[in-house]
Amino acid sequence: MEGIGAVLIDIDGVLTVSWKPLPGTVAAMERLREAGIPLVLVTNTTSRTRASIAGKLVGEGFPVSADDILTAPAVTAAHLREHHPGARCLLISTGDVRDDLTGVTLVDGDEEDAGGGGAPDVVILGGAGDAFSYAVLNRAFRHVRRGARLVAMHRNMYWRTAAGLDLDTGAFLLGLERAARVEAEITGKPAGSFFATALAHLGATAPHALMIGDDIESDVLAAQRAGLTGVLVRTGKYLPETHRAADGTPDHVIDSFADLPALLERLGTSEP
């Protein structure tokens, strides 16, 4: 595996399902560490902070730390600080990720409860779940119609849980965009800026980096458009019909993350 510049790794559906390790994933991660390959875990997960994710993974045996993890909320915070500095933001998300939204001003969303400062300037959609009620989404719709910017942490349509596939933010975002006649600013995968941030985090370049994920569109093909090598795994949300209907072809397809060390050895890429 010598010569691999960097590896970007999705978490949910690749390393774990419902935060339980998939077979062989811990051992494969240990092999990457032993080989000294720079890596970062890149996830659209919006229900946990980086520290919480690291704690959960370490508890399951993965050799990682919070510094190895890049989340959609953390990238969203950077996006808001750069493009909407000082904006009053309404966050709609299942799970508390406020600790990763550093430098972002969060408000309640009701004009009468927003500290006297009026309606929010930005509506942020995080992870879908019980927080995505009709009343909450309708409030978001009204704010966007009044002129608030719409920012979404990702467009994922569904994800894999221990109980099966569950609807995700993209299923609700599409309707909100159509109804309000706006296009959301996407900060997590598949945004090219997300992959650029991950590469900068590692000090790596796209031609010498590899992205492995279970979502052929948001993980793999998006990474390939950003210049990385894409690897699709047949775990998590992977579906053969989605693979066949995709707009492009993954550079590599493997059965699981457990097979990644062997793939990297075969690739034998050169030093960046």
Side-chain angles (χ1 to χ4, degrees):
M1 287 182 280
E2 293 183 2
I4 299 300
V7 177
L8 282 60
I9 306 165
D10 184 35
I11 299 175
D12 195 17
V14 177
L15 299 179
T16 65
V17 168
S18 293
W19 299 105
K20 293 299 180 183
L22 289 166
T25 56
V26 172
M29 178 72 76
E30 290 173 341
R31 288 191 62 189
L32 297 187
R33 288 299 199 194
E34 291 168 0
I37 298 175
L39 59 86
V40 61
L41 278 55
V42 290
T43 176
N44 279 348
T45 297
T46 56
S47 61
R48 292 176 178 268
T49 62
R50 295 167 63 236
S52 174
I53 291 171
K56 192 71 174 176
L57 293 176
V58 168
E60 296 295 342
F62 289 99
V64 299
S65 70
D67 289 340
D68 298 318
I69 299 169
L70 183 65
T71 65
V75 174
T76 299
H79 174 86
L80 292 168
R81 291 193 301 269
E82 178 179 357
H83 297 284
H84 304 288
R88 298 163 50 78
C89 302
L90 169 63
L91 173 64
I92 301 174
S93 183
T94 298
D96 189 1
V97 292
R98 292 169 182 260
D99 286 348
D100 276 355
L101 294 173
T102 54
V104 177
T105 301
L106 298 177
V107 299
D108 179 87
D110 284 328
E111 293 186 26
E112 63 272 23
D113 295 330
D121 306 305
V122 177
V123 173
I124 309 169
L125 293 190
D130 292 341
F132 278 49
S133 68
Y134 174 80
V136 170
L137 288 173
N138 196 46
R139 179 188 297 171
F141 167 68
R142 289 174 175 171
H143 286 312
V144 173
R145 287 279 294 162
R146 291 179 186 133
R149 301 299 293 267
L150 180 60
V151 173
M153 295 186 187
H154 60 76
R155 285 191 179 277
N156 293 359
M157 301 297 287
Y158 51 85
W159 83 96
R160 173 75 64 179
T161 72
L165 294 178
D166 283 0
L167 284 176
D168 208 344
T169 302
F172 302 93
L173 176 61
L174 182 60
L176 188 55
E177 288 178 313
R178 292 285 296 274
R181 297 183 179 180
V182 300
E183 183 173 348
E185 301 169 28
I186 307 300
T187 54
K189 296 175 294 180
S193 58
F194 187 95
F195 295 104
T197 299
L199 291 173
H201 177 77
L202 293 175
T205 59
H208 299 284
L210 176 151
M211 170 71 207
I212 180 167
D214 65 328
D215 188 317
I216 189 170
E217 297 290 348
S218 293
D219 291 337
V220 180
L221 298 182
Q224 291 178 193
R225 287 192 291 271
L228 290 79
T229 296
V231 179
L232 178 67
V233 291
R234 298 189 184 96
T235 56
K237 68 170 64 173
Y238 174 86
L239 295 172
E241 56 267 35
T242 305
H243 187 175
R244 290 192 296 268
D247 292 332
T249 302
D251 292 320
H252 304 278
V253 181
I254 57 179
D255 286 336
S256 75
F257 182 80
D259 300 319
L260 181 62
L263 172 64
L264 295 180
E265 290 176 350
R266 291 198 305 272
L267 291 178
T269 55
S270 61
E271 289 283 354

